[in-house]
Amino acid sequence: DADVTQTPRNRITKTGKRIMLECSQTKGHDRMYWYRQDPGLGLRLIYYSFDVKDINKGEISDGYSVSRQAQAKFSLSLESAIPNQTALYFCATSDFGTSGTPGRNEQFFGPGTRLTVL
Amino acid sequence: AQSVTQLGSHVSVSEGALVLLRCNYSSSVPPYLFWYVQYPNQGLQLLLKYTSAATLVKGINGFEAEFKKSETSFHLTKPSAHMSDAAEYFCAVSYAGKSTFGDGTTLTVKP
């Protein structure tokens, strides 16, 4: 079974609709992230969470919100979807690690959600 | 602040030829550097990482990268390309639990 799962895998919606993308992980990691990928722009960080009570904005958080329901679950919401939010969305997790040095450990990615806003 | 620049959004090589994907970074602190690969319709997966141990890092599938502080580079190489190497490759720099990704390089392998 996949360690990081995302639902749905594909979604087509209309402008103004509220959309929730869900992410679950079985890796036992404290840190979770939401990114969007657009062609030629790499991955851009939307929100991240270092534990259940910690939520932080990334570089492109406008128009998005998140909820960390449990250590294993991190949801991304688009309150009122617009066409320029059409993109591929990825959830990722990371372990703080035993080194005590933040950032040392790699991220583990889900398979992505392809969202189209008409 | 950290940033990453990948030179060349598209690289095309023949099967069996050397693969060289370029990455330059900017970091105000000693960096942790990563290369990830993305195959079509999949998420990213780790190829290799530099975490201040050996400057030459070996990864999966025959890839390796060399950390050069003087050049602020972390280029990815593979001596002989396979058709299965066709994918998009991302360089990333990490600090305080957050990663900054380059724009990606699409590698095409011609038969």
Side-chain angles (χ1 to χ4, degrees):
Chain A
D1 290 337
D3 295 317
V4 184
T5 58
Q6 294 184 235
T7 56
R9 292 294 312 278
N10 290 281
R11 182 70 183 269
I12 300 174
T13 191
K14 296 182 178 180
T15 297
K17 293 292 187 180
R18 184 178 188 273
I19 295 296
M20 179 179 286
L21 309 183
E22 298 186 345
C23 176
S24 294
Q25 54 113 346
T26 58
K27 299 191 74 65
H29 290 168
D30 290 328
R31 301 179 170 200
M32 298 187 73
Y33 309 80
W34 275 105
Y35 294 92
R36 66 175 281 174
Q37 183 181 23
D38 299 277
L41 296 180
L43 275 73
R44 292 181 290 168
L45 183 63
I46 306 172
Y47 271 94
Y48 62 103
S49 170
F50 284 174
D51 65 42
V52 175
K53 297 182 179 179
D54 176 75
I55 302 289
N56 303 281
K57 293 182 177 180
E59 60 181 297
I60 55 163
S61 59
D62 288 348
Y64 301 94
S65 63
V66 292
S67 174
R68 184 82 184 265
Q69 300 96 323
Q71 186 203 36
K73 296 184 181 296
F74 193 36
S75 300
L76 176 72
S77 294
L78 287 67
E79 297 302 325
S80 180
I82 56 176
N84 77 359
Q85 291 177 313
T86 293
L88 189 55
Y89 290 84
F90 286 103
C91 175
T93 73
S94 180
D95 189 2
F96 184 83
T98 57
S99 69
T101 306
R104 181 183 179 91
N105 295 317
E106 66 269 28
Q107 296 185 10
F108 295 84
F109 287 82
T113 294
R114 187 168 296 280
L115 177 66
T116 302
V117 183
L118 302 177
Chain B
Q2 321 328 299
S3 66
V4 169
T5 302
Q6 291 184 238
L7 301 176
S9 59
H10 291 86
V11 170
S12 181
V13 301
S14 297
E15 191 173 20
L18 172 72
V19 176
L20 171 60
L21 305 182
R22 300 178 187 273
C23 173
N24 288 89
Y25 70 91
S26 172
S27 177
S28 56
V29 296
Y32 298 125
L33 294 161
F34 304 81
W35 276 100
Y36 292 87
V37 61
Q38 184 183 28
Y39 298 104
N41 299 314
Q42 295 185 27
L44 281 69
Q45 55 184 280
L46 183 71
L47 269 180
L48 50 80
K49 64 180 180 181
Y50 168 75
T51 56
S52 76
T55 56
L56 182 62
V57 181
K58 295 186 182 297
I60 62 172
N61 301 336
F63 284 93
E64 63 182 35
E66 186 172 9
F67 172 70
K68 292 186 176 180
K69 184 177 179 180
S70 61
E71 299 177 7
T72 61
S73 69
F74 190 56
H75 302 330
L76 182 70
T77 60
K78 182 173 181 177
S80 177
H82 294 172
M83 297 296 292
S84 60
D85 294 327
E88 190 162 18
Y89 293 79
F90 293 92
C91 183
V93 60
S94 179
Y95 176 73
K98 295 193 312 179
S99 293
T100 300
F101 291 82
D103 291 344
T105 298
T106 299
L107 176 66
T108 301
V109 182
K110 299 175 292 186

